[in-house]
């Protein structure tokens, strides 16, 4: 969808007046709807709708071998797939570069042990560990994919159930693991410090969060910040534009403030959520 110069001017003036096209201010989010535990054969799943953006996340768990340099840690791997039906831009192989970018930013955001303690996934030092496969499917693209994906991932990991180990049998180099066959005898992951991504766009002389598709086309530059425990875990510039140093600091300050509030809202809901429950919430 291409905007005319008049449409871009209208959006720019609205941002300048702190009254965007859909009635939000510069720090406002569109309505969100969250649904968890909806993929039957996944260990955890969540679907998040942010206006016209629709994201599905499913978590699978397998037994793996720890990395030699990290014998006490488990593993987590992100895979993103952009459905061709999400937007005409994704037809053919159009969504591949965006999918790789999303997966890389998620991996970078979760890399610090302060965000996600992979030691909790270790079964036997240097021998066996749990590996989490976090699969993200973009069902519809209505702008601000990075924020929506990060919230859906955090919700899916919150609902994920890690099977308990009943026994570990070691015979030479062979290690056999006995897993509890009780489906309710599982451990939950601690997601309190998992990062939340916030996309900040510079439109005209002002910064906004949660850009719509049309607003993304008007941005002169954008940055995605991942905030965990009130600290940045990664900062990434996206798009083709660039930001002045002062503008970058302004974006970081806004992204940090909004991410903390957004995480508090999400966590307040996650601690109450029950399986197969839909929850609507606003920023």
């Amino acid at each position: 969808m291409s905007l005319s110069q008049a449409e871009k001017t209208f959006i720019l003036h609205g941002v300048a007046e702190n009254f965007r096209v859909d009635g939000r201010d510069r720090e406002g989010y569109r309505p969100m709807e969250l649904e968890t535990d909806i993929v039957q054969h996944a260990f955890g799943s969540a679907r998040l709708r942010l206006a016209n953006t629709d994201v599905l996340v499913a978590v699978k768990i397998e037994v793996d071998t720890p990395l030699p340099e990290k014998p006490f840690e488990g593993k987590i791997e992100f895979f993103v797939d952009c459905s061709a039906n999400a937007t005409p831009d994704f037809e053919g192989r159009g969504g591949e570069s965006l999918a790789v970018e999303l997966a890389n930013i998620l991996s970078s955001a979760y890399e610090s042990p302060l965000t996600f303690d992979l030691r909790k996934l270790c079964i036997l030092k240097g021998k066996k560990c749990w590996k989490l496969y976090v699969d993200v499917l973009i069902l519809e693209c209505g702008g601000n994919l990075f924020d929506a994906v990060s919230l859906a991932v955090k919700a899916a990991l919150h609902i994920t159930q890690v099977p308990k180990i009943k026994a570990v049998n070691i015979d030479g180099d062979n290690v056999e693991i006995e897993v509890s066959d009780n489906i309710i005898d599982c451990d939950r992951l601690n997601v309190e410090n998992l990062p939340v991504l916030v996309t900040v766009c510079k439109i005209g002389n002002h910064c906004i969060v949660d850009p719509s598709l049309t607003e993304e086309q008007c941005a002169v530059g954008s940055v995605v910040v991942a905030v965990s425990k009130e600290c940045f875990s990664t900062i990434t510039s996206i798009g083709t534009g660039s930001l002045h140093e002062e503008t970058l600091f302004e974006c970081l300050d806004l992204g940090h403030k909004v991410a903390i509030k957004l995480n508090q809202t999400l966590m307040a809901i996650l601690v109450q959520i029950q399986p197969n429950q839909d929850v609507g919430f606003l920023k």
Side-chain angles (χ1 to χ4, degrees):
M1 178 178 61
S2 180
L3 296 179
S4 67
Q5 189 58 45
E7 290 173 316
K8 291 182 179 180
T9 301
F10 181 74
I11 292 174
L12 190 148
H13 287 171
V15 170
E17 295 295 329
N18 200 21
F19 191 80
R20 293 153 74 177
V21 175
D22 52 13
R24 292 178 290 153
D25 60 20
R26 290 190 286 264
E27 299 181 12
Y29 268 75
R30 293 167 291 176
M32 302 184 199
E33 183 180 344
L34 176 66
E35 184 180 1
T36 61
D37 201 20
I38 58 173
V39 180
Q40 183 177 1
H41 298 294
F43 288 80
S45 59
R47 183 176 183 176
L48 185 134
R49 300 176 185 87
L50 171 59
N52 293 331
T53 294
D54 196 351
V55 176
L56 176 65
V57 177
V59 181
K60 296 179 293 184
I61 302 179
E62 291 183 0
V63 176
D64 203 350
T65 303
L67 296 173
E69 64 273 20
K70 298 178 180 179
F72 289 99
E73 296 184 5
K75 300 177 181 178
I76 183 169
E77 183 176 303
F78 297 93
F79 176 77
V80 180
D81 183 26
C82 298
S83 170
N85 296 321
T87 172
D89 295 337
F90 290 169
E91 291 181 0
R93 303 179 65 178
E96 285 188 2
S97 60
L98 177 60
V100 171
E101 185 178 25
L102 275 164
N104 288 341
I105 290 179
L106 285 170
S107 298
S108 177
Y110 277 72
E111 187 174 5
S112 170
L114 297 179
T115 62
F116 189 39
D117 189 0
L118 292 175
R119 293 175 298 180
K120 301 294 185 181
L121 299 177
C122 182
I123 300 174
L124 183 64
K125 174 191 171 184
K127 297 291 186 180
K128 296 293 180 181
C129 69
W130 292 115
K131 182 173 183 178
L132 305 182
Y133 293 92
V134 183
D135 295 326
V136 180
L137 177 61
I138 309 300
L139 298 171
E140 188 174 0
C141 181
N144 199 20
L145 277 176
F146 293 88
D147 300 26
V149 166
S150 76
L151 295 173
V153 167
K154 186 163 184 169
L157 289 173
H158 168 77
I159 211 73
T160 296
Q161 301 184 71
V162 181
K164 283 191 175 181
I165 303 297
K166 293 176 61 177
V168 177
N169 302 314
I170 304 175
D171 183 10
D173 292 333
N174 295 324
V175 178
E176 294 184 358
I177 297 173
E178 186 178 348
V179 180
S180 174
D181 53 6
N182 188 342
I183 61 174
I184 64 173
D185 190 18
C186 300
D187 293 321
R188 289 290 183 90
L189 300 170
N190 183 1
V191 303
E192 184 178 359
N193 295 329
L194 296 190
V196 168
L197 302 185
V198 172
T199 303
V200 184
C201 294
K202 179 70 179 297
I203 297 180
N205 297 321
H206 302 277
C207 298
I208 67 166
V209 296
D210 186 24
S212 64
L213 274 179
T214 54
E215 289 173 335
E216 288 179 346
Q217 295 185 49
C218 300
V220 297
S222 302
V223 63
V224 177
V225 299
V227 178
S228 170
K229 207 175 181 179
E230 302 191 2
C231 298
F232 293 112
S233 62
T234 190
I235 301 171
T236 307
S237 176
I238 60 174
T240 57
S242 60
L243 297 173
H244 187 272
E245 180 181 351
E246 292 183 0
T247 303
L248 177 59
F249 283 119
E250 182 182 349
C251 289
L252 296 181
D253 182 63
L254 176 60
H256 182 265
K257 178 176 68 174
V258 170
I260 292 175
K261 293 180 180 179
L262 192 58
N263 183 61
Q264 289 173 345
T265 303
L266 178 64
M267 288 304 302
I269 291 173
L270 291 182
V271 296
Q272 305 176 41
I273 205 167
Q274 299 296 323
N276 301 305
Q277 180 179 359
D278 298 336
V279 180
F281 66 96
L282 293 171
K283 159 65 176 63

